[in-house]
């Protein structure tokens, strides 16, 4: 495993086997594509003193493990905030679209607001087992092997509430260091995976989007995810994730889940 993608041309990327999600070797986990689109938006006509504040990904269908073409545009321009949009296409067909607000950084002396955040999120636990998620019937030779997890609480099959530290084991794009935002997005889409409790042979619980907002850029190689899966019979589901690094909590993730019974 060397990376999730290899850039082959301006705006064009080869999707490597590491992008394959847990349910098929032919469909990507949404974490790497969301990070790839964030990379494109962060690099689009960059301005000193500005940062990505959030990334909202809409998954338009299964994202195949094939070359992706990425296009970026500015939807709304301004001195203190810009709305950017990036689209990933496979064989000319859009498969994912992301939007992000790029905002001017707050002054260093701006008042600190902490709300109800936890004062201490603890340390990364010692390694135990393989460090990889084990999911029933999963394809294990793609994304699941490219990410290491260390569980604090819960886990797959443990009731839908999980606290875990994770880190990608490979770069996003070959030859580049992974950035804090990229690292976070590679992991954030796994909120529904680390909390998986439903038997995938009887029920599907798959997200159609991902929204991550960070008020502070992450530090270090590990990201802590405190995730809870929710479902209301007759309606739908969501997965809520609180994101943190070694300094403490820094943002949130939200996934809209399509909750269905499998077809017999």
């Amino acid at each position: 495993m060397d990376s999730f993608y290899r850039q082959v041309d301006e705006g064009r990327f080869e999707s490597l086997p590491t992008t394959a999600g847990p349910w098929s070797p032919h469909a990507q986990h949404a974490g790497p594509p969301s990070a790839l689109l964030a990379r494109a938006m962060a690099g689009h006509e960059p301005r000193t003193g500005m940062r990505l504040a959030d990334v909202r990904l809409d998954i338009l269908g299964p994202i195949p493990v094939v070359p992706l073409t990425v296009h970026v545009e500015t939807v709304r321009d301004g001195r203190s905030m810009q709305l950017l949009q990036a689209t990933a296409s496979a064989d000319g067909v859009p498969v994912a679209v992301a939007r992000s607000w790029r905002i001017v950084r707050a002054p260093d002396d701006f008042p600190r607001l902490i709300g109800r955040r936890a004062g201490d999120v603890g340390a990364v636990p010692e390694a135990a087992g393989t460090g990889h998620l084990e999911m029933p019937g999963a394809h294990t030779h793609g994304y699941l092997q490219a990410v290491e997890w260390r569980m604090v609480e819960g886990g797959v099959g443990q009731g839908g509430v999980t606290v875990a530290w994770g880190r990608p084991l490979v770069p996003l794009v070959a030859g580049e260091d992974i950035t804090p935002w990229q690292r976070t997005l590679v992991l954030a889409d796994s909120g529904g995976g680390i909390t998986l409790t439903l038997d995938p042979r009887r029920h599907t619980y798959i997200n159609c989007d991902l929204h991550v907002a960070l008020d502070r850029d992450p530090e270090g190689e590990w990201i802590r995810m405190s995730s809870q899966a929710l479902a209301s019979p007759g309606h739908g589901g969501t997965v809520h994730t609180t994101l943190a690094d070694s300094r403490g909590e820094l943002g949130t993730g939200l996934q809209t889940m399509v909750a269905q019974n499998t077809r017999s």
Side-chain angles (χ1 to χ4, degrees):
M1 297 188 298
D2 58 349
S3 63
F4 289 110
Y5 299 101
R6 183 178 297 114
Q7 186 164 8
V8 295
D9 204 348
E10 182 69 26
R12 188 164 174 80
F13 300 84
E14 179 186 0
S15 302
L16 301 179
T18 43
T19 63
W23 307 124
S24 169
H26 308 296
Q28 297 191 38
H29 189 281
S34 66
L36 187 67
L37 293 178
R39 173 189 178 276
M41 291 186 289
H44 178 64
E45 300 176 354
R47 292 185 185 177
T48 301
M50 299 189 80
R51 62 178 290 269
L52 296 187
D54 75 334
V55 174
R56 287 153 289 141
L57 175 76
D58 289 310
I59 304 165
L60 305 182
I63 303 173
V65 182
V66 300
L68 297 179
T69 300
V70 176
H71 171 73
V72 190
E73 60 183 311
T74 302
V75 178
R76 190 268 193 195
D77 202 1
R79 293 176 59 185
S80 60
M81 62 188 76
Q82 298 173 298
L83 181 59
L84 307 176
Q85 178 171 295
T87 303
S89 299
D91 297 323
V93 178
V95 292
V97 60
R99 281 190 168 192
S100 173
W101 282 105
R102 184 163 60 188
I103 64 173
V104 65
R105 290 183 177 272
D108 290 339
D109 60 354
F110 194 85
R112 184 179 300 277
L113 305 173
I114 62 173
R116 295 182 176 178
R117 280 184 164 169
D120 181 10
V121 297
V124 181
E126 294 295 325
T130 66
H132 303 301
L133 286 187
E134 297 182 4
M135 305 168 70
H139 168 67
T140 60
H141 298 295
Y143 177 89
L144 292 186
Q145 288 293 311
V147 174
E148 179 183 1
W149 295 98
R150 297 190 184 178
M151 295 295 168
V152 177
E153 173 189 346
V156 175
Q158 299 299 311
V161 176
T162 294
V163 178
W165 292 84
R167 62 175 176 175
L169 299 176
V170 300
L172 179 67
V173 176
E176 297 182 3
D177 292 334
I178 193 167
T179 70
W181 252 112
Q182 293 168 14
R183 180 181 296 109
T184 303
L185 287 167
V186 165
L187 298 170
D189 189 67
S190 291
I194 62 176
T195 59
L196 179 68
T197 294
L198 301 172
D199 184 345
R201 295 167 295 186
R202 300 180 59 191
H203 309 285
T204 59
Y205 188 68
I206 300 172
N207 62 303
C208 56
D209 67 2
L210 171 68
H211 186 186
V212 174
L214 303 179
D215 55 87
R216 174 172 64 79
D217 296 346
E219 299 177 5
E221 63 177 335
W222 292 91
I223 298 294
R224 182 183 187 269
M225 294 177 55
S226 177
S227 301
Q228 56 176 325
L230 306 166
S232 295
H235 297 271
T238 56
V239 173
H240 298 238
T241 298
T242 299
L243 297 158
D245 61 11
S246 59
R247 280 183 54 194
E249 295 178 6
L250 52 80
T252 60
L254 177 66
Q255 297 166 281
T256 303
M257 310 301 291
V258 181
Q260 295 286 291
N261 295 328
T262 58
R263 297 177 181 177
S264 57

